[in-house]
Amino acid sequence: MSFSNSAWEIFNQSIYDYHQKDQVDTPINNPFQNDSLERLLYAKNWIDTVQWHLEDIIRDENIDPTEALKLKRRIDASNQQRTDLVEYIDTWFLQKYSNVTPNHDARINSETPAWAVDRLSILALKVYHMSLEANRESASEEHRNNCTAKLNVLLEQKKDLFEAIDQLLLDIENGKIKMKVYRQMKMYNDENLNPVLYQNVKNGQTKS
């Protein structure tokens, strides 16, 4: 089984597990071994799945503004966790290919393996939810047909992304592509980099 197929199965296991309760506060119960790539992939998709539903909740026009602000803060924290998990996955790949000597004409890919995996995780969620809509009995036939057409496009994306990820990993393994990772530098969460936050700290307005 290819890496992409394995990752897809793990993502769908995470999505299935989440929807057993379908509650954003459900604790993760990661079934995979510590320090394994599988555990990282499951954790990554769990974050994505919870955030998917947080994004749904915050778009409720009747939501209390105070609750919406709390959710916005939670989504910001989730985005940081998501980025951290992507970097952990890239670190795993860096270690895996640490003994590979790139060819003298090796290329740099614009996207690292983990950021491609990030897109695959989100795509798994899109396929899951679009499939629900394509088969929702309470919806109109026109709605179901439209969603079926969109689902078919998503499944074509899945096929193409599988091929792209597996080819990228093969090219890294064969020295055709150099794996180079630039760590994400999120500024909005950092009290030293976000002007609003560091000015608040300077003025003594610390977070409660």
Side-chain angles (χ1 to χ4, degrees):
M1 182 183 294
S2 71
F3 166 78
S4 291
N5 269 297
S6 298
W8 188 261
E9 286 191 359
I10 292 168
F11 294 155
N12 278 281
Q13 181 178 349
S14 163
I15 293 168
Y16 173 83
D17 291 346
Y18 172 86
H19 285 95
Q20 294 310 293
K21 293 187 177 179
D22 201 6
Q23 296 290 334
V24 293
D25 294 318
T26 302
I28 185 173
N29 183 20
N30 198 318
F32 295 101
Q33 182 178 348
N34 287 341
D35 300 323
S36 66
L37 178 59
E38 291 81 5
R39 189 175 184 87
L40 292 174
L41 294 173
Y42 186 97
K44 170 69 178 66
N45 181 266
W46 186 273
I47 290 172
D48 294 337
T49 303
V50 172
Q51 185 167 332
W52 178 285
H53 292 278
L54 291 174
E55 297 281 6
D56 281 346
I57 295 169
I58 204 170
R59 283 165 174 77
D60 182 354
E61 293 182 354
N62 298 314
I63 192 171
D64 177 77
T66 301
E67 184 62 26
L69 180 58
K70 290 179 181 177
L71 281 175
K72 176 62 171 68
R73 298 282 188 259
R74 185 170 174 180
I75 289 169
D76 283 348
S78 177
N79 274 323
Q80 187 64 59
Q81 291 175 333
R82 167 178 166 263
T83 299
D84 291 344
L85 254 296
V86 170
E87 293 187 350
Y88 291 147
I89 293 168
D90 263 337
T91 297
W92 190 94
F93 281 116
L94 277 172
Q95 292 173 348
K96 176 179 173 63
Y97 298 118
S98 60
N99 293 325
V100 173
T101 301
N103 300 340
H104 72 279
D105 58 349
R107 310 184 310 277
I108 291 288
N109 202 59
S110 64
E111 186 174 53
T112 66
W115 281 110
V117 167
D118 172 72
R119 291 199 291 130
L120 189 64
S121 176
I122 301 301
L123 184 60
L125 281 161
K126 290 181 179 180
V127 168
Y128 175 86
H129 287 282
M130 193 62 72
S131 179
L132 290 180
E133 290 300 312
N135 294 282
R136 179 158 63 90
E137 293 183 358
S138 62
S140 67
E141 182 177 0
E142 180 183 8
H143 174 87
R144 292 195 299 270
N145 288 340
N146 287 339
C147 290
T148 297
K150 292 176 180 179
L151 178 61
N152 288 335
V153 173
L154 292 172
L155 292 174
E156 184 177 358
Q157 280 186 277
K158 170 193 168 187
K159 177 178 175 292
D160 291 343
L161 193 50
F162 270 30
E163 182 178 345
I165 291 173
D166 291 334
Q167 186 62 55
L168 173 60
L169 294 177
L170 182 62
D171 285 346
I172 292 172
E173 186 175 344
N174 291 334
K176 294 180 179 180
I177 288 181
K178 290 186 288 187
M179 186 174 172
K180 192 171 185 179
V181 175
Y182 289 94
R183 302 299 176 185
Q184 297 298 305
M185 299 178 189
K186 297 283 188 184
M187 300 179 72
Y188 58 82
N189 284 330
D190 193 324
E191 291 183 354
N192 296 312
L193 298 175
N194 181 331
V196 173
L197 295 181
Y198 62 65
Q199 287 172 11
N200 284 346
V201 172
K202 181 179 179 181
N203 295 331
Q205 300 174 20
T206 56
K207 292 181 291 184
S208 58

